[in-house]
Each structure stands twice: as structure tokens, then as C-alpha cells.
Amino acid sequence: MSLRSAGTIALAVSFAFAAQHAGAQQKAEAGAGADPVAHLVGQLDLEKYKATIKSLTRFGDRRQGTERNRQALDWIEAQLKSYGCSNTERLQYQFTEPAVRGKPAVQAGGGAGGPPGQGGSTLFGRRAPIGVNTDPMLQPDERLRALNAEQTPQGTSLRENVYCTKIGATHPEEMYIVSAHMDGIGFGEAANDDGSGTALVMELARIFSAPGVETERSIRFVLWNNEETGLNGASAYVAQRQHLQCIESPPGSGRYPEPKWLGMIQHDMMLFDHGMPVPKLDAAGKPVLDAKGQPVYTAPREQRAEADVNIEYQAQSKQADGSARLAWAFRAANDKYATHYPAAVGFHMTNTDSTPFMDLVPSISLRENERGQQIGAGWNPHWHQPTDLYANYSDQDFLLGLNAAQTTLAGVAQLAGARVKKK
């Protein structure tokens, strides 16, 4: 627990990450028989997590409706199959591209991606500008600018989500949904939003699909499309499949194409918790002023010592009580199994793919910051910008995402009844 103190976390910056993982792996292997959750958490690896994010950035910002988006879906599906997730499927839906997506000031708690008023909290403090970059020329990298050149075609066309399922050995008719969105915008690489969440879900699919790993209940790993246009991929899934829950098909087969939803866990932006914006300084160390003579604020350069994994539920939802219990169960899992960063629970979940589920099943989201109070106040300057690049994140940032993975893996493993067969 001493590692969680602010001073020790700051000191941990100088640790060798490979050595840290080796120690965690040895501990997990030593206790595999007694604690299968510790064993599974020990299979998470910082370099593998980073490599998956890096591979996703090969497809640029993966903007929905484009060829680079379709290629990313194909790659994700191939990776899931290579992990042993052989029942990989796609859900298709029709989407109509709106005339305009995103104005320069997408305010916390409203805008595209969630019903107005569900952000709930307002930051009383410094704010930095937020918005969606729609100018490709703000991307200085010519190679990346060319990769992201294709825009979403106007009109109605086919979109797809991709998912695979770990079938429960005892209760295949019940499942937890673990998800992230794979599309992005902003003419960058969408490394954080939401390559970091996509890679997290893929890593969990890899570990739960490994030989010898069993769960009592099913787990579905879903990568949504069209999050950036208003949660359309997740909404299409709810519309098509909510009424199919727990229906055996064919009757007597013991197969449930859509098991009963027990909980929905979304991951959206996992890497950047650098703290409240600070005054931007010029070369002489003086505050930079805007055209009105007011200080310009920007995010600190390094991950803050108080960085944490934010677990949020929506207090206004019909499933608020169950969602709160789910959030605190994940907080407890973080306390026991995460290695570096603690977790904090909040009740203003909004603007993420768990929103379409939140009145139907206990739903939570894991993020780097509170969506309404912090991300919406400009705590992440790379959000929807050309600077959302793999190269702009440090190992401290990636480690925050890995700790979120540890949190979800541990929480889901406990809830789904995971066990590891001895070799």
C-alpha cells in the first residue's frame, strides 16, 4: 500500500518497468493455485499493451465509414481469433452521416455522445479549450495526414461492431459485457481515444481465451463503432439484441446467442491524468495571454502523482443502485490487484458507450479522468486533436491504462467466477 502514496508513486517513475512486471509475474505464478485472479492479472504485460495500441495507430484515427476504419476492424477480428476467441462475430447496422459533427466548444455534460444534463458536475477551477479538430492541415505529419485523408461519405451506409465471447462453463446464459470503441476522430492516431481502451479490451480477451482458463459465466468483449458520432454502434447493439437475452437457440442446445446481461463495463480514454490545467509559459517563463489578455492554460507535461483510474456510474439511471455496487466492486478489485494507481468512484457517467445500457443493466465506465468535471474542462489537450499520437504518451501514461486493465480483469474475473486449470 505504501506504493500508492503520492511520494512513492512519484519515485516509481524511475523504476524499470520490465523488472516491475517480472516481479508481478513471479508473484502471480506463485499464488496461481490459491488465487486464480492474481494469476490472470499477472498475465497482463505493459509492453504487450503498448504494442497493441501501437498497432492500432497504423490505421490512423480510424474514422467511422472509412477504409482505414474497416481495415482496423479486420485487424481486430484477426487478433481476437489468434487469441483463441474463435466465435468472433460482427453486428451490422445502418448509419446516416450527419451534415456536421462537432462545434468548436463541446461542453461537459452535453453535446454529441449523451443526453444533455447527464454530465452533472462542473469544474470550479481552471479550464483549457476543448473541441474537435476538423482541419486536416493541423496535422504536421504528411504521412499521417495522407492516411487520414478519406472522409466519411455522406448518406446512409453499413457499419459494424466486432465482438467475441468467452462462454461460461456453468452459466452460459449469463454474461458481463466488457467494451471500448475502436473509432476515432481529430486527424491524429486516436492512440488514447480510444486505442487505449480498445487495446485494454483486446488484452483481456487474450487472457480469458488462454488454454486452461474457465469462467462460470460468459464474458463478451465488444469493440464499438460510431462512438464519436453519438454512441451509434452501442445503441444499435441494444436495439437489436436486448430482446434476445437468455433465449436458448436452438432449444435444448445449451447455447445462448445473447446471454442475460449482468453488467456492462466500458473503457474510454485510459492514459492521461496530468491534472488541472496550469498557466502556459513563454520562453522567458512568463504567462502566455490570449487576445483578451487572459492567461492561457494547458495540461502539465507529466502524469500527476495523484493520478487514478476513474470508475463512474450514472446516478440518474434506472439501474443506479446496481451500477453503484458494480463500481464499488471494481474499486475493491483495484485495491487488491492493481499495482500502481488507485481507483476513484464517481456518479456522473456520461458521453460513453455504456449510456445506452444504463437503464437496462448495471453499467459503469472506466476512464483516465471524470468525464464531465475533468475531461470536459480540458484536462487532456490531445482529446480529438492531431496530437493524440502514440509518441505523445510516456510509460507512466501507459501504466495508468495497464492499471485500468488490472482493475477490470480482476473485477470481471471475480464476478464471472474465473478459475485456472493446473497444467
Side-chain angles (χ1 to χ4, degrees):
M1 291 299 291
S2 60
L3 187 60
R4 293 179 177 276
S5 67
T8 318
I9 291 177
L11 181 62
V13 171
S14 62
F15 285 2
F17 289 102
Q20 292 170 347
H21 171 69
Q25 180 75 17
Q26 292 171 1
K27 181 179 179 181
E29 291 175 353
D35 188 351
V37 177
H39 174 76
L40 293 174
V41 171
Q43 307 308 303
L44 286 166
D45 180 87
L46 180 64
E47 294 306 318
K48 287 182 180 178
Y49 177 59
K50 290 168 57 179
T52 303
I53 297 175
K54 181 66 174 177
S55 294
L56 285 163
T57 65
R58 294 186 292 115
F59 305 101
D61 64 8
R62 305 180 299 281
R63 185 185 181 102
Q64 59 85 22
T66 62
E67 179 62 24
R68 60 189 182 275
N69 177 278
R70 292 186 288 272
Q71 290 177 354
L73 277 171
D74 291 342
W75 180 81
I76 291 169
E77 181 177 27
Q79 289 298 111
L80 293 175
K81 289 180 178 179
S82 75
Y83 301 154
C85 227
S86 57
N87 57 9
T88 303
E89 301 178 62
R90 297 199 186 191
L91 181 140
Q92 298 182 336
Y93 58 97
Q94 296 291 326
F95 175 72
T96 301
E97 176 69 13
V100 177
R101 194 286 181 206
K103 295 297 182 181
V106 181
Q107 296 299 322
Q118 292 198 350
S121 58
T122 301
L123 178 70
F124 295 96
R126 300 167 181 160
R127 299 181 62 90
I130 58 172
V132 178
N133 174 54
T134 58
D135 183 359
M137 298 310 295
L138 292 181
Q139 175 52 255
D141 185 328
E142 293 183 4
R143 179 202 62 82
L144 186 54
R145 191 163 66 238
L147 178 61
N148 288 333
E150 181 192 1
Q151 292 299 288
T152 301
Q154 297 296 311
T156 301
S157 53
L158 185 70
R159 301 288 186 271
E160 294 180 305
N161 302 317
V162 61
Y163 62 91
C164 70
T165 310
K166 174 72 175 181
I167 304 298
T170 307
H171 293 286
E173 78 283 3
E174 299 176 343
M175 76 171 176
Y176 290 90
I177 298 172
V178 178
S179 62
H181 72 90
M182 52 75 60
D183 65 313
I185 52 176
F187 296 95
E189 292 176 335
N192 188 29
D193 187 12
D194 188 25
S196 62
T198 298
L200 185 157
V201 172
M202 292 175 67
E203 278 295 278
L204 266 60
R206 175 182 68 83
I207 291 170
F208 278 108
S209 299
V213 178
E214 288 188 354
T215 58
E216 294 178 3
R217 291 169 175 80
S218 299
I219 308 169
R220 180 158 291 171
F221 305 96
V222 189
L223 288 316
W224 310 114
N225 216 333
N226 278 100
E227 188 272 351
E228 300 291 4
T229 55
L231 318 180
N232 304 98
S235 296
Y237 185 97
V238 170
Q240 292 184 32
R241 304 198 67 88
Q242 65 172 313
H243 300 299
L244 303 178
Q245 292 180 69
C246 215
I247 298 176
E248 193 177 21
S249 180
S253 66
R255 299 177 182 177
Y256 299 85
E258 191 64 30
K260 179 183 177 181
W261 303 342
L262 299 180
M264 196 283 189
I265 304 100
Q266 171 69 10
H267 304 82
D268 195 346
M269 300 172 64
M270 312 310 302
L271 305 180
F272 198 91
D273 190 2
H274 290 210
M276 182 182 292
V278 297
K280 185 176 182 179
L281 305 179
D282 62 18
K286 296 181 179 180
V288 175
L289 304 180
D290 62 18
K292 298 181 179 180
Q294 299 299 313
V296 175
Y297 292 100
T298 187
R301 294 178 59 87
E302 304 295 340
Q303 194 84 284
R304 61 177 180 153
E306 302 83 6
D308 55 16
V309 176
N310 286 88
I311 305 170
E312 294 187 289
Y313 68 96
Q314 178 47 252
Q316 298 179 24
S317 72
K318 295 178 181 178
Q319 296 286 335
D321 289 345
S323 298
R325 288 192 293 270
L326 184 62
W328 284 105
F330 272 57
R331 163 64 191 271
N334 172 276
D335 284 347
K336 186 172 182 179
Y337 294 103
T339 55
H340 289 79
Y341 295 102
V345 174
F347 51 90
H348 293 306
M349 184 186 77
T350 184
N351 295 62
T352 192
D353 286 305
S354 44
T355 303
F357 291 84
M358 69 183 186
D359 287 333
L360 304 171
V361 60
S363 302
I364 60 174
S365 72
L366 277 71
R367 290 183 181 269
E368 61 195 13
N369 289 151
E370 292 184 29
R371 171 56 180 86
Q373 186 176 10
Q374 297 173 347
I375 294 176
W379 283 39
N380 187 336
H382 307 305
W383 182 38
H384 296 158
Q385 298 301 310
T387 56
D388 191 358
L389 309 173
Y390 179 90
N392 283 339
Y393 302 99
S394 70
D395 270 359
Q396 299 169 64
D397 298 324
F398 290 117
L399 190 63
L400 180 65
L402 189 75
N403 273 239
Q406 293 170 338
T407 301
T408 294
L409 194 156
V412 171
Q414 291 175 311
L415 292 169
R419 54 183 176 266
V420 181
K421 290 183 178 180
K422 294 182 179 179
K423 297 180 181 179

